[in-house]
Amino acid sequence: MDVFDAIRGRRSVRPETMDPDRPVPRDLIESLLEAANWAPSHGLTEPWRFVVFEGEARKALVEAAVSTLTDPGEPAPAPLDPRRLKMEQKMLVPPVIISISSAAPPNPKILEHEQIASVAIAVQNLHLAAFASGLGGFWTSGKKAFDPRVARFLGLEPGARCLGFFYLGYPTAPWPEGVRGAWQDKVQWRSR
Ligand SMILES: Cc1cc2nc3c(=O)[nH]c(=O)nc-3n(C[C@H](O)[C@H](O)[C@H](O)COP(=O)(O)O)c2cc1C
């Protein structure tokens, strides 16, 4: 696939529209993670960190996410609580969920925003490779991703940050349309 076609055609495919019964082969997931690993980073710190959740392991991640629906110290929502059911129904459709984290900067020359920028590039690599492989992907963040209870569940080191979750699966709905404003509106030219 031509790189411009991949960039233009990549879309966020909603997790609810992914095929829950079609597993993503392990070697394909590995090839996407290898694409992610080619992202650039200041000082070659390679700060992207992923945890791949498949099968039953997804339920523990969803439980950690559900626990963020109540205040710290409060019990998690009850089994039939609509907020829990909504989150479970959404998060358990895709066969694969990958947590996205950035490592703490290893020295003062590397700034946190540089680490986060590199992780975002890694995720874009992964997403483009997923699209080129016929897979749908979706980066979601929201409050749950930034909650210390989720960081603890993921086992993040001090200074590391969870930046969200990447849902991965085969699409079952028509490929979404892309929408963008004109690139010209975001660019200034200074030639003299
Ligand atoms: C860092 C990041 C966080 C995102 N978080 C959410 C989210 O929490 N909820 C959501 O609906 N979409 C989220 N998205 C997906 C965007 O909605 C999506 O990329 C945007 O609508 C453009 O669509 P496209 O990816 O198909 O071009 C996120 C995207 C990025 C890059």
Side-chain angles (χ1 to χ4, degrees), residues 10-14 90 127 138-142 163 176-180:
R10 179 211 57 80
R11 288 281 74 76
S12 295
V13 171
R14 297 211 67 84
K90 180 174 171 179
H127 203 160
F138 194 100
W139 184 344
T140 181
S141 49
L163 301 175
E177 288 289 323
V179 183
R180 290 293 185 277

Side-chain angles (χ1 to χ4, degrees), residues 137-171:
F138 194 100
W139 184 344
T140 181
S141 49
K143 253 172 62 184
K144 64 184 179 305
F146 310 126
D147 191 290
R149 289 167 282 187
V150 165
R152 257 196 312 280
F153 168 76
L154 293 172
L156 297 190
E157 305 281 337
R161 261 177 199 269
C162 177
L163 301 175
F165 304 101
F166 193 81
Y167 297 115
L168 189 65
Y170 288 97

Side-chain angles (χ1 to χ4, degrees), residues 62 65-71 74-91 143:
V62 173
V66 164
S67 76
T68 69
L69 293 169
T70 51
D71 289 335
E74 297 290 319
L80 295 180
D81 186 304
R83 295 168 299 166
R84 167 189 282 278
L85 293 175
K86 189 175 167 205
M87 195 172 260
E88 287 175 348
Q89 275 157 13
K90 180 174 171 179
M91 290 186 78
K143 253 172 62 184

